Amino acid sequence: MRAVLLGPPGAGKGTQAQVIAAQLGVPAISTGDIFRANVSGQTELGRQAKVYMDAGDLVPDEITVAMVKDRLAEPDAKVGFLLDGFPRTITQAEQLRSSLAELGSGLDCVLELVVDEEELVRRLSGRRMLVDGEWVQRDDDKPETVRHRLHVYQEQTAPLSGFYEQEGLLARIDAIGTVEEVSARAQAALRQAEKRDSAGQGDAPPAG
Ligand code: ADP
């Protein structure tokens, strides 16, 4: 299964990616996590990405796409993958499509986690992560940056919903509820995608 998890900051992509990927037996690949690991490891990639991340802007496509290409070439991604936080622009989606086509494959399903904006702001401002045994707020979860990230999402990433709908790959998932409720909805959508794939891709009408 080659799938993408789409959704605004605060929709619960990271949590759902872990649960769903474990159920599918594929690696969860989060571009945000890879960038953060590079920032804390003080690599050249981390140094480049940090400026954009702190501002709540997207890291430029050429940096991000090259990084994801390398990650997808690793052996564990042969069985499939669940991408979390990538693609985030139409350019990234097109590049992903052509990289996969080069390998003779393509995406099976795109899950869009849907949450209203009020709930997103509430979740993000209360979010903390555990670093060295301490609960800290992510630099980019500060209220001003959160508003900017949501704006960037609307402008640059939300159009992917229509892009993947046209490709017949999109499944919209109501992401309000417990982790288990949301992952059960995602599972159901993935099973449908699997059925559609085995029935012969390309003949199926757009999902959604
Ligand atoms: P969230 O979904 O909560 O915004 P992420 O962990 O996915 O958080 O991403 C954090 C930051 O990392 C983004 O605001 C952006 O700066 C950078 N980033 C992650 N993925 C991408 C991507 N595909 N393209 C560009 N920038 C990205």
Side-chain angles (χ1 to χ4, degrees):
M1 174 64 70
R2 286 173 292 267
V4 164
L5 204 50
L6 192 67
K13 289 192 303 293
T15 307
Q16 288 301 329
Q18 294 303 323
V19 176
I20 299 165
Q23 286 167 346
L24 291 173
V26 299
I29 299 176
S30 155
T31 43
D33 284 352
I34 303 176
F35 281 134
R36 277 186 291 279
N38 277 277
V39 170
S40 50
Q42 300 184 342
T43 67
E44 175 57 23
L45 175 66
R47 194 188 58 73
Q48 290 176 353
K50 187 173 170 24
V51 191
Y52 301 98
M53 294 172 75
D54 285 351
D57 287 321
L58 295 185
V59 178
D61 287 337
E62 56 277 20
I63 299 178
T64 310
V65 168
M67 181 180 88
V68 172
K69 259 189 141 174
D70 285 351
R71 179 62 188 88
L72 291 180
E74 284 179 33
D76 66 339
K78 286 253 177 341
V79 293
F81 51 77
L82 179 64
L83 282 169
D84 156 18
F86 183 93
R88 244 181 169 94
T89 63
I90 295 283
T91 306
Q92 290 180 11
E94 285 169 342
Q95 303 247 15
L96 174 64
R97 187 172 55 190
S98 56
S99 306
L100 292 175
E102 274 170 35
L103 301 168
S105 73
L107 290 175
D108 302 303
C109 188
V110 175
L111 300 168
E112 181 183 8
L113 299 184
V114 180
V115 180
D116 60 85
E117 178 147 349
E118 210 177 300
E119 170 72 8
L120 292 174
V121 175
R122 202 178 61 73
R123 287 186 188 180
L124 286 165
S125 48
R127 178 162 83 173
R128 298 292 181 275
M129 57 176 187
L130 199 57
V131 175
D132 299 331
E134 256 183 87
W135 289 101
V136 297
Q137 187 169 44
R138 245 169 65 176
D139 283 340
D140 59 351
D141 278 350
K142 303 210 161 65
E144 330 71 85
T145 319
V146 161
R147 269 193 296 277
H148 182 61
R149 278 162 62 213
L150 289 171
H151 175 75
V152 167
Y153 185 85
Q154 281 313 323
E155 297 271 299
Q156 302 199 55
T157 309
L160 288 180
S161 182
F163 177 92
Y164 283 124
E165 188 164 29
Q166 279 202 330
E167 303 226 317
L169 291 172
L170 189 75
R172 290 196 176 88
I173 310 288
D174 172 10
I176 306 261
T178 64
V179 171
E180 293 74 22
E181 283 164 353
V182 176
S183 68
R185 290 173 200 146
Q187 281 298 325
L190 288 166
R191 273 195 298 273
Q192 280 226 315
E194 245 162 16
K195 255 195 247 166
R196 187 185 60 208
D197 275 7
S198 52
Q201 212 175 9
D203 316 328

